[in-house]
């Protein structure tokens, strides 16, 4: 079964890079969004994972994370942030993020994190 990843990031170069990695190099289906509202409105498509930037133009990423977790608590969300502070990372994890990556994103760490998050999600669905 093809896995679907939502990428929500308002920075066009990062959105393109993440889409290239996840779609062309790691063979996932991808839907990209430049704001939190559009990503939230598409959740009925049941993504297997969400890559979510914290700094978005319309809704703060942690608020988007909270809304995802309220409606679809099992969907893994990996947070991305240029802020890189421990406080921001801890807040995201406290709100239910599966993982947190500071920007610039380490491609070699991101791929196994995505794979593990989706594997964990699949196991939860089986149970």
């Amino acid at each position: 079964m093809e896995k679907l990843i939502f990428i929500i990031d308002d920075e066009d170069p990062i959105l393109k890079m993440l889409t290239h990695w996840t779609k062309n190099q790691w063979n996932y289906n991808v839907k990209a969004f430049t704001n939190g509202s559009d990503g939230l409105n598409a959740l009925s498509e049941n993504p297997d994972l969400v890559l979510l930037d914290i700094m978005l133009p319309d809704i703060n990423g942690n608020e988007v994370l909270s809304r995802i977790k309220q409606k679809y608590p099992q969907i893994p969300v990996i947070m991305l942030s240029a802020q890189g502070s421990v406080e921001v990372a801890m807040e995201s994890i406290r709100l239910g993020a599966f993982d947190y990556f500071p920007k610039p994103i380490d491609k070699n760490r991101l791929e196994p994190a995505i794979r593990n998050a989706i594997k964990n999600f699949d196991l939860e669905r089986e149970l």
Side-chain angles (χ1 to χ4, degrees):
M1 185 172 99
E2 294 281 332
K3 300 297 181 186
L4 175 61
I5 294 178
F6 278 11
I7 302 171
I8 306 173
D9 197 310
D10 63 319
E11 294 178 66
D12 194 53
I14 292 181
L15 199 58
K16 286 180 177 168
M17 176 188 69
L18 289 170
T19 299
H20 174 74
W21 289 350
T22 53
K23 185 176 185 167
N24 301 332
Q25 295 185 0
W26 305 333
N27 300 313
Y28 293 104
N29 288 324
V30 173
K31 278 217 158 176
F33 304 93
T34 56
N35 64 63
S37 298
D38 290 346
L40 286 169
N41 289 334
L43 283 174
S44 61
E45 295 178 38
N46 296 313
D48 295 282
L49 176 91
V50 177
L51 292 176
L52 176 60
D53 186 23
I54 289 182
M55 298 301 291
L56 294 169
D58 59 341
I59 309 171
N60 176 283
N62 278 337
E63 175 62 26
V64 175
L65 171 63
S66 292
R67 292 185 194 180
I68 291 171
K69 290 299 174 180
Q70 283 173 357
K71 199 165 184 183
Y72 302 94
Q74 71 282 18
I75 294 175
V77 179
I78 294 177
M79 302 301 289
L80 312 170
S81 178
Q83 294 177 335
S85 76
V86 173
E87 293 80 22
V88 171
M90 293 305 295
E91 177 67 7
S92 297
I93 298 299
R94 189 186 67 72
L95 291 170
F98 184 84
D99 208 340
Y100 172 92
F101 280 82
K103 294 178 181 177
I105 299 159
D106 182 343
K107 177 183 172 185
N108 296 322
R109 283 188 54 234
L110 183 62
E111 184 190 14
I114 288 172
R115 205 173 39 242
N116 289 338
I118 290 174
K119 192 181 298 181
N120 191 52
F121 182 43
D122 287 343
L123 287 172
E124 285 183 18
R125 278 194 285 206
E126 278 182 37
L127 294 175

